[in-house]
Amino acid sequence: VSSLVTGEVLSDTFNEGDKVNKDDVLYKIEATTAQNSVTSAQNAITKARQQYLDAVKNKSQTSKTNNYSVQSAQDAITKAQNSYNEAYDSYNDLNVKSEYSGKISKVYIKNGDQVQNGAAIADVYDDSRMKILIPFNVNDADTIRTGDTASLKIAGASDVLSGTVTAVSGAPVATASHAIVKYVTIETDNPGALTTNDKATATVGDIVCSDVGTFEYIDSGKITAKTSGKVFSVNIAENDRVYPETVVANLSSDTIENTMTNAKLSLNDAERSLEKAVLQSDEYSQDSAIKNAKLALDDAELSLEKAQKTLDDYTIKAPISGTVVVKNTKAGDKLDNNSSSAAGQSSGSSSSAMAVIYDLTCLKLQLDIDETEIKSVQVGQEVTITADALSGQTF
């Protein structure tokens, strides 16, 4: 047992022969200077912490003002961006686009026309698939199911197409010839020549229809203008094929173009205002003050930790559990630089240590064995030990 510090030993708690446990307090050394250092370090932490809080508070107050300016500038950008987006959408709508895939059946505009928002530009139909409603005898129709395969015989031609039943009407109706029928809807791929003028009969399995039906386009629609303007080019004609996003006409509008230009300028002004607000709200100096205050607080905490550790050295504890076999230092003795050594480490000899503790729970001994018998001794063998001082006992 040794000490890292010097000073007067105020107390000891043991005698030679006592058993002690690891970390039991053995000595207390006078530590007024070390305690004062801890108190000073604690005061330094209090001061550094307050300076840090003041720096944070100062930044918070400044930030509120700066944040208000930045937020206002950001709101102005959002408003300007929305206005620009609306103007851009209106400008983009001057290019009239198809929403459908198919053929143009009718064009409603020509160059120079003035059109309004929602005005019809062209009709489109998809001729790749056709449907036809064909009457079947009501009793026969009741046996037909959606998904059944149908054969379609084109009227006036020898062509036969394959189709699929997609619907059967629910209520029967009477035809002009007083027959009671249900209408069956059949869809088929258009081989390329079918139009809405063509008619056909149908057979579903062994069931034959009652009359002919007329083909219809499954999908059709109307292309309309999404804004007002003057037509300066028409890019389609009847029977042209279009696809979604195909530009079918171009419009012009000075009002829309001016609105978009002004909206872009307003957006640019708002962005510059935000840049100015951000530059004016530069918080580098506040951040620097906070960082320096935080570093000072960290240093103060490290100083307290160091001072506390030094103070702890004035209380000397047992480094191991065991029995005190030597006690060289007692209360009232003074420790100097020559009598102290590294804490927890053995001194050069028992006489130079403050105390010596042995763990007597396990011992070892070395004995001489004759060279003629040593060959019979192996590591791990059990040994019986006797001693003259302990007559009649074996270990």
Side-chain angles (χ1 to χ4, degrees):
V1 178
S2 53
S3 173
L4 279 172
V5 298
T6 62
E8 181 181 353
V9 178
L10 299 179
S11 66
D12 61 71
T13 61
F14 66 98
N15 295 303
E16 286 187 3
D18 288 352
K19 291 183 177 180
V20 296
N21 294 318
K22 185 178 186 299
D23 292 330
D24 282 352
V25 174
L26 303 181
Y27 295 103
K28 283 188 176 294
I29 301 171
E30 196 279 326
T32 301
T33 301
Q35 182 62 60
N36 291 339
S37 296
V38 170
T39 302
S40 177
Q42 289 172 333
N43 293 337
I45 283 182
T46 300
K47 181 179 179 180
R49 181 177 291 112
Q50 187 59 52
Q51 290 175 340
Y52 172 72
L53 294 175
D54 290 343
V56 173
K57 181 179 179 181
N58 182 60
K59 178 184 177 180
S60 176
Q61 293 173 340
T62 304
S63 295
K64 286 181 180 179
T65 302
N66 293 338
N67 289 342
Y68 178 78
S69 299
V70 172
Q71 185 61 54
S72 296
Q74 290 173 333
D75 292 342
I77 282 185
T78 299
K79 183 178 180 180
Q81 185 67 61
N82 291 337
S83 297
Y84 175 75
N85 290 343
E86 292 175 0
Y88 181 82
D89 289 341
S90 295
Y91 179 80
N92 197 44
D93 287 339
L94 292 174
N95 298 316
V96 184
K97 298 177 182 179
S98 172
E99 298 178 357
Y100 308 96
S101 179
K103 283 187 176 182
I104 301 296
S105 60
K106 185 175 182 179
V107 179
Y108 292 95
I109 59 171
K110 62 182 183 299
N111 287 347
D113 285 353
Q114 189 72 34
V115 299
Q116 301 300 317
N117 185 8
I121 302 298
D123 288 336
V124 183
Y125 65 93
D126 181 4
D127 63 347
S128 63
R129 296 255 320 155
M130 307 289 284
K131 69 178 180 179
I132 187 169
L133 276 67
I134 297 182
F136 281 77
N137 178 276
V138 65
N139 293 326
D140 291 338
D142 286 339
T143 65
I144 297 175
R145 299 289 180 267
T146 299
D148 287 348
T149 299
S151 295
L152 296 172
K153 176 69 170 62
I154 308 302
S158 60
D159 296 339
V160 176
L161 301 179
S162 177
T164 302
V165 175
T166 58
V168 178
S169 62
V173 297
T175 66
S177 61
H178 305 293
I180 305 301
V181 300
K182 284 186 177 182
Y183 282 90
V184 176
T185 302
I186 301 171
E187 294 185 9
T188 184
D189 291 331
N190 188 350
L194 290 179
T195 68
T196 53
N197 295 321
D198 290 316
K199 300 180 182 299
T201 58
T203 302
V204 180
D206 296 330
I207 304 171
V208 180
C209 65
S210 301
D211 202 349
V212 296
T214 302
F215 283 104
E216 302 174 24
Y217 297 120
I218 295 176
D219 294 320
S220 62
K222 192 180 294 292
I223 302 174
T224 59
K226 293 184 178 180
T227 190
S228 301
K230 183 178 181 180
V231 179
F232 73 85
S233 69
V234 180
N235 307 323
I236 54 171
E238 290 183 3
N239 294 321
D240 283 353
R241 183 169 292 280
V242 295
Y243 302 92
E245 297 300 310
T246 297
V247 177
V248 299
N250 301 102
L251 311 180
S252 64
S253 171
D254 292 340
T255 300
I256 291 177
E257 292 171 359
N258 291 337
T259 299
M260 191 187 74
T261 299
N262 292 335
K264 180 59 176 175
L265 292 174
S266 297
L267 178 58
N268 292 339
D269 288 342
E271 290 174 343
R272 283 192 290 269
S273 296
L274 176 60
E275 291 176 1
K276 182 178 179 181
V278 171
L279 288 175
Q280 291 177 341
S281 66
D282 177 23
E283 298 176 350
Y284 174 78
S285 58
Q286 287 87 2
D287 289 339
S288 179
I290 290 174
K291 184 176 180 179
N292 290 334
K294 184 63 170 63
L295 291 174
L297 177 58
D298 292 342
D299 287 343
E301 289 174 343
L302 289 174
S303 296
L304 175 59
E305 183 179 344
K306 181 179 179 181
Q308 186 62 57
K309 186 177 184 301
T310 299
L311 179 61
D312 292 342
D313 290 338
Y314 285 81
T315 298
I316 299 178
K317 300 178 181 180
I320 63 170
S321 296
T323 302
V324 178
V325 297
V326 175
K327 179 180 179 182
N328 293 325
T329 304
K330 62 183 183 302
D333 291 348
K334 291 186 180 295
L335 301 178
D336 55 28
N337 292 331
N338 294 325
S339 61
S340 62
S341 58
Q345 297 178 356
S346 299
S347 300
S349 66
S350 297
S351 61
S352 63
M354 296 177 69
V356 179
I357 301 171
Y358 281 177
D359 179 4
L360 300 178
T361 60
C362 185
L363 306 177
K364 68 178 180 179
L365 63 154
Q366 293 181 332
L367 300 176
D368 295 331
I369 298 178
D370 189 272
E371 61 180 311
T372 61
E373 296 179 338
I374 189 65
K375 63 181 182 297
S376 300
V377 178
Q378 302 295 328
V379 174
Q381 283 181 318
E382 186 174 324
V383 180
T384 299
I385 300 172
T386 61
D388 292 342
L390 299 171
S391 178
Q393 295 189 50
T394 60
F395 302 90

